[in-house]
Amino acid sequence: MSASYAAVGWNRQKKIYDWLIFGFCILYLTTFISFTAIFNPEYTFETVLIRSASTLAVLMLHVILSIGPLSRINKKFLPLLYNRRHLGVTMFCIILVHSVFSIMQFHSLSNVNPFVSLFTSNTHFGSLADFPFQALGFFALIIFFLMAITSHDFWLHNLSPKVWKTLHMFVYLAYFLVVMHVMLGVIQYETNPAFIVIIVVGAVTLITLHLIAGTREVRKDNIVYKLNQDGFVMVCDVNDIIEDRAKVFCIDEERIAVFKTQGKLFAVNNVCKHQNGPIGEGKIVDGCITCPWHGYQYLPNNGQSPPPFKEKVCTYDVKLQDTKVWLNPKPYSEGTERPGAVIEM
Amino acid sequence: MKNEEFYIGWIGSAPDSFAAFIKKYILLLLLIVIVLGVLLSLSQKKFGTGNFEFGTLTQVKGIYFNKPVPNIKVINGKDIWGNANYITVPLIGFGKHGADGTIADIEKEKNISLNGKEVTLKGTLLYNDGKLLMQVDANDQPLVNAASATISADLLPKQKDLGVLDVKGEIVDPKCFFGVMKPGEGKPHKDCAIRCILGGIPPLLKVTDNERKQNYYLIVGPNGEKLNEAVQDFVATPVVLHAKAVKYDDWIVLYVNADNGIQHYSSIKDHYGSLYASCAADCLK
């Protein structure tokens, strides 16, 4: 969280994260290249570079896509989420190595421009066996490129979180394109079943993780709160909420987080202004609601980030009757001060 | 998880329970990275044994012929029966180009015709599986010497008509296949092979027999004309060619009518079809 833009807001955990990314990439590339050199000595360096980069990028893509659902299923994975964008940008750089070398190798030094060659050499778009798989990789590269260059809070704020998030959801389209790029390309050449088994296991793992995480969310969202009084809905017992934590309630398709802190209850919109993180899964730290994804903070009484920060979320009315918590789902405009509900001891 | 344990990225260190959990995950990832690195590298098909002497120029003396594809016939002594030992070296150009343009430029510049004359050419050799090719690049000043007189008739390529054949195989570009790229065949290399062939490199039919031995056939049109553009849709895919075959010294040339002489076929269907057919025949017995 910072009040001004810097290329990278370095801190200790980001440095550890990036050193691990670097170490893992070097380890994989070294392992792949050295084993190929030892057991397949007729190799050519450009081919082994193209292959090592592509397989590493596919592995990284699986790790990146699994972090989201894993963090939803188990909060202990949140440290992986914190700096996921560096993992994504690194993956793009690896993909770029694969792409540039592939275009140079397969399309350069010919009688047409390499990019024209990419789309005109093989035009069997109607055939699975002959499908021009390199075009699929090219479109995936464009998506990864757009994601990589906008992978900074400057673009997040200027594009708006909604547009930014929508753009970055295209990663799933890119993943599909990558899988098809592999299935219609190298899988049709290689005879060892390891390649297809790994791709299928990867896809099944990702789909399963997303289904588990998604099912949990949907189950929570589908809870119906029947007791209704003057626009207020009874949501839970006050003792169900842990001190300095919140419970999230989905009413009228809006997720609202009710926090309990210092003898009071406060309600704010559950969606963080940074990357749509689940504020309600955060904690009150130093008097501020702290988002679990990237540590963005908001004051519980007005939904405003403490100065000099400018993020604001909607606030809601909440009241107590005996020990029952009643919530009014009608939002106040972002940053509106609300008194909260005093918890009688 | 204790209530006070909460992860915030911008705080110096993660809570102990988070750090311990992530360390275990990182160890798992470490294992996955090593296992996948080893497994995928060992699962690759064996690289071909082709060789491209990149950066090394070699002078080759032989007789230049522009048909059926640009080549030089290199004669090296005689065998025990007194016949000339020779190898035919097809010529290819720089990058994804044929040699025709380079040779035509030389002929225009020197105002001579090289066809049927003894020449010394300088270029980059590539070779595999008993076949030798040479890349001639205009930047290398490839013509070292050219005789003024044409050679005697006994040195012309020996031709033998092999009749009309149906040959199953894969159309590749010989430059990549014999050494420049690994792999220089199959789906991953399809676009490159198409570009090479469209650039003028003569198409080649690679045929693998039942004993996994490979044979190679140069492809030209019915009258010896170039067939490069006509084969674009058939490159790097299983095809069957119906063609007149003629042996030119140590190469076989297929004269293919593009209208009806090239057809796709399914190697999988072909393989399993015959397998099922033989299985059914066994069952009937």
Side-chain angles (χ1 to χ4, degrees), chain A residues 7-18:
Chain A
V8 180
W10 286 111
N11 58 46
R12 182 175 172 270
Q13 296 204 44
K14 278 189 187 175
K15 286 177 184 170
I16 294 171
Y17 200 114
D18 284 13

Side-chain angles (χ1 to χ4, degrees), chain B residues 129-148:
Chain B
D129 204 9
K131 297 295 184 190
L132 175 68
L133 291 86
M134 187 161 84
Q135 170 184 284
V136 285
D137 178 4
N139 294 321
D140 297 332
Q141 303 293 321
L143 183 65
V144 177
N145 189 33
S148 53

